[in-house]
């Protein structure tokens, strides 16, 4: 099951991106519709029931033990009815890529992993990349939640940097509160996956004594989407092709099988220290190939089974007197 | 200012019916848009601010001393911007008459007045209707709130009656809690007006020893709309032409000037007994001319300055196994 | 299961009145507590889960097919734990009779039945009261929802009346949307029962041509409580002793077995005309004996198994400049 | 004005800690009370008005341009009435230190500054500490929002570390969205201050190649409180005495005047990179003196004008089968 978020003037709406061509199906609206059509609820009762049955964002859905189950039943119904009159326009939003928001709502923490793949693209003539005999220690960092951006948002190239590098990554979304996970139990804590483009200002990182928090925390530096995909759709998250293009040119082309530390290891490592919670995001590192981008570039990232994100890089206007231009909040 | 309610899967939405042809403007959505365009709010902030600034229904707006003022400022802005790109589709709903709900939300009480006009159409040759030397005592009754219907909803002709009569009336909507109003203060308690079609089953009233509560309380027997109009748009509510047609044939054609007891008197009379509150409705009686309707009839009512409601009468299916057919709650 | 409402500055709270002596147990607070103690929920998760699992008022609970079941599970747990530390003060409110509100929240409609018992107390020497050969037609009327009062609120004796009569009645609370009930199905639509004191101003009724709406619609003229009792606790609602006292003197002493039209008949009669909904109230009429009350009187009503309500009658101050004195909303 | 948060089963409640001895005054409850007493609101209206006027948490209050102003008016009223009957028990909570939560709600980001004071306590015989000729570059890091703890919560000593060091710091709370602040405008973006105890596991930091995110992100490693103090109460945040004790022994005793980079510089530095928002926290570094703590220690921190926090260090039970023991969510 895929879950997207559509930004509207009625709030950020959980949506199904796939059943209706050219549109996204509003989850709560469709749920009310289902109650009316299938269970003969009166509209007022249906709306009230939906409001309690379906949380407004993904962390809320995950926090509820029955949350994903309820969405799944709805998703099945929507698929069956996608071509009948039951899902008329009142339950859908026109599919406008720019209107998609981060599908994960507002997590408490977004973790990224450093150095979890080979850093450099090996010489093509030298054979396949070789993992080191001993994998490096795990290292992780927090992405500022304020840096989250939708899968087709513009990336703001900051005025104070000259060295911006995007990294396409597989990110796991945690499904329940968990602490001290074991390798065996770790995957059961993963609710699903999402593509994350982890952007950093390398010159700022150098300036900050290699502390990454500011360097990776600029607004729009955590592009995420296009949708959340539940774990059942991804039989093996460690065998996914992962690619990035800039202006149509392939920059990264790897596989999640190349991670030094796989997802269970990462989750053990983090949860040995702290409690992870529903909706928290763990981004698993990026394969070789990242290279700097410039204003005007178009960045595209894709992970097998998880969809495509595509963003344009724009220079941050130095002189914007009002720092929040209306288009920020487009709807 | 006119305020309508559009029934959607996102709840019953307060709307402005007039600024954009073919559409109704969603009040809360437009308010967020205004904050973003005019005050450079970020979208997230705008939505949060709107949620607190604009109540979800008319009783809520009226209960807030600043409620109508906030809507008025928004209305002015919407009018100025109706033809620019600022009010794009994300803030409007296609105008579909059937989707309009009662503009008054869910009031605590809806009062109707009995015998407040001459009962019979006077002989056309006999000159203008004459008020009696002594007006009759005031009489009022409660309409069941469950009988409210939108201005273009179907009227359900009940299976147990053979004598259904609709009466078009001017209804006042109370703007604040008030008790023991004086004739002088009474009008200040009126926030605005709405057309109300007060329908009754006269045979049921007779059966019930002339108690009107059940006779006038059938589902859909209080059609109300098309919109709420603020008092400032109606300089003299006692000089409004009021008409009703059935199948295009004029049945009622009177003026609110013909009431025996004007609105201040009615409000004094009611508030001498009980507290009226924001959103309560007082329907002021109907001029001469009401006549029975039958399934298949089309009923139309209009009051000068308050708009038109139009409904089709449908026989209540005796055999509807599921009493709540999906189309009840269409959106 | 008994459900009360405690009026607090945190809203009107559903409460269990019985498990903890001297206190009422807050339903939502106890639910969160249960999730933490029994299911090891983190507090934040527990609060979020409770907010969605437990509606804020009785109509909301009844509207949810699983609503009463969830409350019942909680009630069992509360009973088991009432004497342990699990239910500490954070989940209870001191029991203050004046703070109890109407346990039914805000229903859409409150119906009363007229003439459903013998009107006059028969001559004590004449033997037992005799039902007429033919029961009178059913008659019902709407109580203004604005007239609802809590079970220990003061009754305001209106300035404009000199003939106020209270009538103690058994009231049924509807549990689901229903229309066209049959005699057989009717009782399944009843969720539970409550004591209702239906007060009327008989002189005002006479003045209004016997229309009861205003006469029975004065503020505080529908005292209701002390709690809602689920139907399973009342094996036969037609065999309940029902009594009223004024100043300690017995005025009414009857049995619900004396109704002319029993509850199924009343529900058939109403639902043949209109849809009843969750939380709607049908008050079933009063046995013989009601007599006028005066300011200063203390009124007490009791129905077997449903508890006791007790109110003082106070003269409505003619001169209260501010009609809403702070003590109205005491908390 | 001081604002605390009391954790209750009715949610995390904003409170005034000071006007009533032995109690904290619930902000929303007192606001409703004020509306009833001062403005003669009916209780139902007061609750509805309060719900819209007073956001539920500090970020919400700050996001609203009128938010702090509304609280200030209320605070004045509460102070005047603290000794009258107007603030009876229904508006207060018993003051129980353990029940205080982080006063800042759930911010998007919590930033800490590294190396912003002299690291080592200078030799007492060597004269006053000397600032270096050239202050070091600014460095900052994100604290995981999941690590926030209340001012009297237990600090969990992690099983995987042997070197835990607490640092008492002055933290600024941001009052509005801001980007690219200038030195002149920076202080206008600060809404107020709070004491923050920034705890870190130094051995884990070393293990993680000096990345601090995990080392400083353990649960309970950001103790914050006891309350938020508005900026107007702190005429000069750069002249505050700041002290820490462990088991009654003074460990840190400095002044905020010793910062290398003052608050405006820090805000310029952060906001040159990213947008800060209402409720975001910037912790400004710690004066010399921090030393390791052990399970069983009692940690106390105080900043002039901002109050005292005091916590006990407890060993994290290795074997807790259920990772969320009921006492986590005490109420």
């Amino acid at each position: 099951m895929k879950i997207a978020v559509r930004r509207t003037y009625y709030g950020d709406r959980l949506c199904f991106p796939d059943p209706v061509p050219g549109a996204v199906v509003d989850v709560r609206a469709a749920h009310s519709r289902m109650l009316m059509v299938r269970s003969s609820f009166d509209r007022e009762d249906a709306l009230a029931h939906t409001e309690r049955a379906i949380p407004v964002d993904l962390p809320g859905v995950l926090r509820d033990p029955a949350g994903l189950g309820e969405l799944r039943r709805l998703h099945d119904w929507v698929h069956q009815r996608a071509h009948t009159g039951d899902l008329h326009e009142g339950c859908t939003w026109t599919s406008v890529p720019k209107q998609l928001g981060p599908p994960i709502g507002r997590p408490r923490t977004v973790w990224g992993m450093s150095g979890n793949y080979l850093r450099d693209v090996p010489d093509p003539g030298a054979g396949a990349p070789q993992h080191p005999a001993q994998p490096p220690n795990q290292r992780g960092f927090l992405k500022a939640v304020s840096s989250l951006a939708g899968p087709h948002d513009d990336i703001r190239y900051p005025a104070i940097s000259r060295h911006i590098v995007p990294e396409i990554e597989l990110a796991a979304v945690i499904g329940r509160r968990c602490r001290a996970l074991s390798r065996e139990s770790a995957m059961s804590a993963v609710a699903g996956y999402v593509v994350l483009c982890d952007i950093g200002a390398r010159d700022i990182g150098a300036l900050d004594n290699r502390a990454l928090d500011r360097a990776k925390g600029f607004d729009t530096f955590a592009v995420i989407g296009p949708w959340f995909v539940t774990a059942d759709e991804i039989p093996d998250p460690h065998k996914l092709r992962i690619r990035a293009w800039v202006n149509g040119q392939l920059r990264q082309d790897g596989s999640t099988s190349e991670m030094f530390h796989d997802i269970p290891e990462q989750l053990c490592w983090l949860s040995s220290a702290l409690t992870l919670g529903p909706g928290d995001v763990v981004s698993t590192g990026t394969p070789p190939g990242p290279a700097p981008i410039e204003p005007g570039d178009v960045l595209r990232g894709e992970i097998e089974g998880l969809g495509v994100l595509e963003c344009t890089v724009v220079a941050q206007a130095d002189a914007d007197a009002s720092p929040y231009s209306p288009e920020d909040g487009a709807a």
Side-chain angles (χ1 to χ4, degrees), chain A residues 278-292:
Chain A
D280 281 343
V281 175
V282 178
S283 198
T284 62
T286 200

Side-chain angles (χ1 to χ4, degrees), chain A residues 6 16 50 93 114 136 200 202 228:
Chain A
R6 159 90 183 203
F16 296 131
T50 294
W93 301 95
S114 295
R202 295 208 173 160
F228 167 79

